[in-house]
Amino acid sequence: MSNDLIINVAPEEVSIALLRSRELTELTKEKSDYAFNVGDYYLARVSRIQPNLNAAFVDLGYEKDAFLHYLDLGPEIQSLNKFVKETVSGRLKTASLRYFKFAPPIRKEGKIGDVLKAGQTILVKVIKEPISQKGPRLSCELSLPGRYMVLVPFADKISISSKIREASERDRLKNLMQALQPTNFGIIIRTAAENQSADDLEKDLKDLMTRWDAAFEKIKSGKTPEKVLGELSRATTLLRDLENKNFTFDSIVVNDESYVNQIRDYMRTNFPDREKSVRFFKGRLPIFEHYGINRQIRTLFGRNVPMKSGAYLIIEHTEALHVIDVNSGNSVRSGSSQEETALGVNLEAADEIARQLRLRDMGGIIVIDFIDLYKAENRKILFQRMRDAMKDDKAKHNILPPSKIGLIQITRERVRPQINIETAEACPSCQGTGKVTASVNLTDEISTAFARKVEGSPNQTLTLLVHPYVEAYLKKGLFSSIWKTWKSKYGRRHRLEARTTLGMLEYRILDSQGKALEDV
């Protein structure tokens, strides 16, 4: 199975596609100017206390105040507040916590009004991005994730991932971390640390301490609201969390040179043997078009999602509830009973549903109406398949066994807005009127527009983009075609290319730099 990361960098956003065996598995979109990502630290100001919610609303610079619940303050919130106050006032000269005197921990059943006051400056971490009409959700329990460990300020405990099972390795890691552990910092050892050298672990710890020092320098200004520590870009975060001895990217392809250099620097530092897997995309087609990602997006993000057997899913969304209906469609399994056919379709659907949850980043409650299975053992097989299909899902989730009427309920953590790509479009040919210009006039219209652009852009190589069917029509003919006639007339250097993203009667003309000339 090949794993490829395809990154499309555009002026307004960066789109990241994870392909497994060339199938789209994850899609992430990040606005270029978006500031509120999970894991970002902000120096912020408490806007108001809401006693009935036991929560505070915090000015983070977003259009809506962020939400901070008492249970997300963490037991050491008083120590954190003291640290922020002394740093802003200038009394604290270093980010080190070696000589920092802790305040008493708060009670779990306390009131937020006893801890925070309106107008107070606090240090917070984004744990949920703004979703729908809600602002970001915050926490004061700080943690800085690295490649091999997570650094936890205002703590002293060393924890080891439960996935590291060998007792001797757990002892080695614990003893090593005890020797390196900074005073008043806790450490969570990640699974990726297993069998890593002491030098690599020490370097990772130093990198995390450097990030903490950088945050301290920004806190000293006392300016609110201000981001004091940003999470890595989505691409490097994905590399940090996925790239390990059990999972590697066969290729990381990017269409922007500065982004390529950024990722190469990260790989050179953290995965030097994998640096050559990063490469710059030089193709003439858009990168997502070249790798067939646009076609998969148009297929996978619709209300109806087809499967290879001929069965299909129907997916409906509400604010916090998603309903998925499994339909057998024209799926036929020769020699199979109705129960066997239903089981086969359900198992295929379980795999596709797990893919869809990750792809769309669906969160909240998901209810799946599978095809009825009458045998208890088959329902158990389906439940186990659903659990296996979702075992690689990084989002926290819980799967309930099938009900008597064949429903499976899943709750899945939602920390970012769901990716919802509208695949039903207003007809570009009629603009929704239901009437179009006669298709026989299309070639004349394109020819006139192309001639005008050639005349207005002398010495440039123009590219005409059309729907694949129109491209085939223009190139039809072995020795003579409409396109060959146009090239003879307007210049042989010009190009004709197909785009699946264009409507049937839609076309675009690009200049030598690939920029669209005035829409025609």
Side-chain angles (χ1 to χ4, degrees), residues 19 24 56 139 167 179 199 243 275-276 336 381 446 465:
L19 304 182
L24 184 61
S139 172
D199 288 344
E243 184 90 15
E275 184 187 348
K276 291 183 179 179
S336 298
I381 292 171
I446 295 177
L465 307 181

Side-chain angles (χ1 to χ4, degrees), residues 60-275:
L60 209 65
Y62 186 64
E63 59 191 51
K64 291 183 178 293
D65 283 344
F67 183 80
L68 175 62
H69 193 272
Y70 180 86
L71 295 178
D72 292 321
L73 294 177
E76 301 301 335
I77 179 62
Q78 298 284 37
S79 296
L80 176 59
N81 287 342
K82 179 183 175 184
F83 174 83
V84 170
K85 185 176 180 180
E86 293 187 357
T87 301
V88 172
S89 67
R91 290 198 298 271
L92 204 59
K93 304 298 183 183
T94 174
S96 171
L97 301 178
R98 177 180 291 274
Y99 302 109
F100 183 80
K101 292 184 179 180
F102 278 38
I106 62 172
R107 297 182 299 110
K108 192 173 183 180
E109 307 81 16
K111 303 295 182 183
I112 198 163
D114 298 332
V115 182
L116 300 179
K117 304 296 179 186
Q120 181 177 347
T121 298
I122 58 173
L123 182 64
V124 293
K125 178 181 179 180
V126 178
I127 58 174
K128 281 191 178 181
E129 293 177 11
I131 296 174
S132 187
Q133 301 301 312
K134 300 176 182 177
R137 181 152 184 174
L138 308 176
S139 172
C140 291
E141 294 192 85
L142 310 184
S143 60
L144 282 73
R147 181 183 176 188
Y148 300 123
M149 66 193 71
V150 178
L151 185 67
V152 185
F154 307 101
D156 58 6
K157 185 179 179 182
I158 295 178
S159 303
I160 302 176
S161 168
S162 60
K163 293 182 180 179
I164 301 177
R165 294 187 172 87
E166 191 174 330
S168 60
E169 177 62 10
R170 293 178 68 86
D171 290 340
R172 181 188 77 91
L173 291 171
K174 187 168 186 178
N175 292 335
L176 181 59
M177 285 298 102
Q178 284 175 337
L180 297 173
Q181 183 182 15
T183 304
N184 291 330
F185 285 88
I187 294 175
I188 302 171
I189 301 173
R190 306 180 72 172
T191 309
E194 188 172 14
N195 299 321
Q196 298 298 325
S197 69
D199 288 344
D200 286 342
L201 296 174
E202 184 176 8
K203 181 181 179 304
D204 195 36
L205 180 58
K206 285 182 177 179
D207 289 343
L208 292 175
M209 289 301 299
T210 299
R211 296 186 70 204
W212 174 252
D213 291 343
F216 172 78
E217 291 300 319
K218 284 202 169 185
I219 293 171
K220 286 198 300 186
S221 71
K223 181 182 176 182
T224 62
E226 184 177 32
K227 184 192 290 187
V228 298
L229 186 64
E231 181 56 286
L232 302 170
S233 70
R234 293 273 175 90
T236 47
T237 299
L238 199 62
L239 291 171
R240 181 193 67 199
D241 293 342
L242 289 180
E243 184 90 15
N244 55 54
K245 64 180 181 181
N246 297 318
F247 184 101
T248 59
F249 288 104
D250 296 276
S251 66
I252 302 168
V253 188
V254 193
N255 66 343
D256 181 85
E257 287 194 83
S258 62
Y259 218 82
V260 167
N261 294 332
Q262 176 188 337
I263 294 176
R264 278 181 179 157
D265 289 343
Y266 178 83
M267 295 295 281
R268 189 180 302 116
T269 302
N270 297 281
F271 309 98
D273 57 323
R274 305 290 303 148
E275 184 187 348

Side-chain angles (χ1 to χ4, degrees), residues 347-401:
L347 294 180
E348 182 186 16
D351 293 336
E352 182 58 39
I353 289 167
R355 178 189 180 194
Q356 286 288 326
L357 297 186
R358 294 178 63 185
L359 193 58
R360 303 187 189 209
D361 206 4
M362 294 160 60
I365 301 171
I366 300 103
V367 178
I368 309 164
D369 184 11
F370 285 99
I371 300 173
D372 290 343
L373 294 172
Y374 300 101
K375 295 182 180 179
E377 59 266 30
N378 286 340
R379 291 196 291 271
K380 287 181 180 179
I381 292 171
L382 174 60
F383 178 53
Q384 187 58 49
R385 181 65 161 264
M386 194 74 247
R387 294 177 66 181
D388 291 343
M390 291 192 66
K391 67 181 180 181
D392 292 332
D393 195 329
K394 299 294 182 182
K396 294 178 182 177
H397 60 272
N398 184 45
I399 307 172
L400 298 181

